[in-house]
Amino acid sequence: MSGRIAAMELGGTKTVVAVADADGVLCEEYRFPTTTPKETMNIAVSWWRARGEVARLGIASFGPLRVDPQAADFGTFLRTPKESWQGFSFASYFHNHLPGVPWFLDTDVQAALLAEMTYGAARGLSDVLYLTVGTGIGAGLACGGRLVHGTLHPEMGHWLVRRHADDSFVGLCPFHRDCWEGLASGPAMWQRWGAAAHTLPMDHPAWDMEAFYLAQGLYTACAMVSPQRLILGGGVSQATGLLDKVSMWMDRFSQGYFESLGARVVAPALGQQAGITGAIELALRGDKKLPS
Ligand code: ADP
Ligand code: ZN
């Protein structure tokens, strides 16, 4: 393989673009706010072009998004609350603006998981869950060494959880109200407690409730696919002591039925770099998205 790799991590609020050499070693990156599709994509393409010819392209994006290359609408945004992106097609855009350049796409969380499995906290493992808890809740999943997509891609942020006995907050998911994301995302904490998550002291009851909710989803994932490791990423997960509380709640839910669930939860190793590293990795691996 030769030539430069261009990569993009498209987030709901910010975008990261990067160029890497043919071996996937990051050379330079640039961050800017995500606005409309046209403006955001034009900034990205101009930035890549100014750094030389692009040989391959990797995209890690927020969703929901059609990531199946066989689908007729591959690379198109589905029903996202970010309305200006709904219906936007990476396929049409790249066809017009970077014709002939092979491009590879996955969700931001699947890409972050791929990066953690290749270089980070889950190296050498085959069955891993990556959870990000920030403005929303998103999960990436690998089983048997393969990234799992199904007919769309995992959307665990929208699965349903049992309510905490002291919680009367209605939930803020625009589709389901009190799904996992609706009850446990950063903005949900803010609305429930009247203060941003990062300003709440660790002895505030918010954190035990947050751990109760996060542990439930992770516990359910363990019951379903039995991952070797669960990586807890995103802004909210950085709260001091939260990871230990989540581990404790998982073991409490388990009641001794599953072996050492709590011990499988770890912090990410790549931090903020996981998404863009994963986007580079997508381009590098092409159709072989198998962490080896
Ligand atoms: P995004 O989801 O937009 O990528 P983040 O993952 O940084 O952004 O998540 C933002 C959320 O994380 C906010 O609700 C913020 O209050 C919360 N947050 C950020 N840092 C911390 C921290 N150190 N402790 C607790 N919460 C945090
Ligand atoms: Zn929902």
Side-chain angles (χ1 to χ4, degrees):
M1 203 182 298
S2 64
R4 282 192 151 213
I5 290 175
M8 173 183 225
E9 181 192 3
L10 181 69
T13 51
K14 69 162 196 315
T15 297
V16 186
V17 284
V19 285
D21 68 17
D23 296 321
V25 178
L26 185 111
C27 304
E28 197 182 341
E29 70 176 34
Y30 171 58
R31 286 161 192 261
F32 60 97
T34 305
T35 55
T36 61
K38 194 170 168 211
E39 193 178 33
T40 307
M41 296 308 295
N42 286 351
I43 292 172
V45 170
S46 310
W47 190 87
W48 289 324
R49 282 228 182 91
R51 275 146 194 86
E53 202 175 320
V54 175
R56 297 164 77 79
L57 182 58
I59 310 289
S61 173
F62 72 90
L65 184 67
R66 191 76 68 203
V67 295
D68 174 6
Q70 309 304 324
D73 59 349
F74 172 50
T76 304
F77 280 91
L78 306 174
R79 258 192 104 178
T80 163
K82 279 194 79 78
E83 280 171 17
S84 67
W85 287 86
Q86 201 162 296
F88 172 77
S89 163
F90 284 112
S92 313
Y93 186 87
F94 293 139
H95 180 76
N96 292 326
H97 294 85
L98 287 172
V101 177
W103 55 280
F104 303 91
L105 170 73
D106 215 324
T107 62
D108 44 7
V109 275
Q110 293 290 62
L113 170 65
L114 180 63
E116 291 285 354
M117 290 178 79
T118 311
Y119 304 106
R123 264 176 98 156
L125 301 182
S126 58
D127 296 83
V128 186
L129 186 138
Y130 178 95
L131 190 76
T132 179
V133 188
T135 308
I137 292 186
L141 180 68
C143 290
R146 284 187 175 274
L147 298 177
V148 172
H149 293 99
T151 52
L152 181 64
H153 46 69
E155 280 283 359
M156 289 177 216
H158 296 278
W159 67 16
L160 305 178
V161 289
R162 185 192 291 175
R163 267 181 176 275
H164 191 285
D166 301 333
D167 192 13
S168 56
F169 177 55
V170 66
L172 51 62
C173 174
F175 296 97
H176 320 111
R177 288 258 170 236
D178 60 355
C179 62
W180 202 16
E181 176 174 290
L183 290 174
S185 64
M189 291 187 77
W190 190 329
Q191 280 201 25
R192 181 189 287 110
W193 302 105
H198 60 272
T199 66
L200 294 168
M202 221 32 231
D203 57 1
H204 192 285
W207 291 113
D208 190 59
M209 189 180 286
E210 182 66 6
F212 167 88
Y213 283 127
L214 296 183
Q216 265 193 71
L218 295 177
Y219 170 87
T220 306
C222 287
M224 192 172 352
V225 291
S226 198
Q228 297 152 305
R229 200 158 289 171
L230 303 107
I231 303 172
L232 195 49
V236 172
S237 308
Q238 288 172 27
T240 315
L242 180 63
L243 203 143
D244 289 343
K245 280 189 172 31
V246 170
S247 295
M248 189 206 68
W249 267 111
M250 284 176 74
D251 287 328
R252 220 188 265 183
F253 289 130
S254 170
Q255 292 290 320
Y257 186 81
F258 297 107
E259 289 164 331
S260 60
L261 283 195
R264 300 187 207 174
V265 183
V266 300
L270 304 177
Q272 299 285 346
Q273 288 302 104
I276 195 70
T277 305
I280 295 169
E281 202 59 27
L282 288 172
L284 199 60
R285 288 169 185 263
D287 294 323
K288 302 189 294 296
K289 279 188 221 157
L290 273 178
S292 50

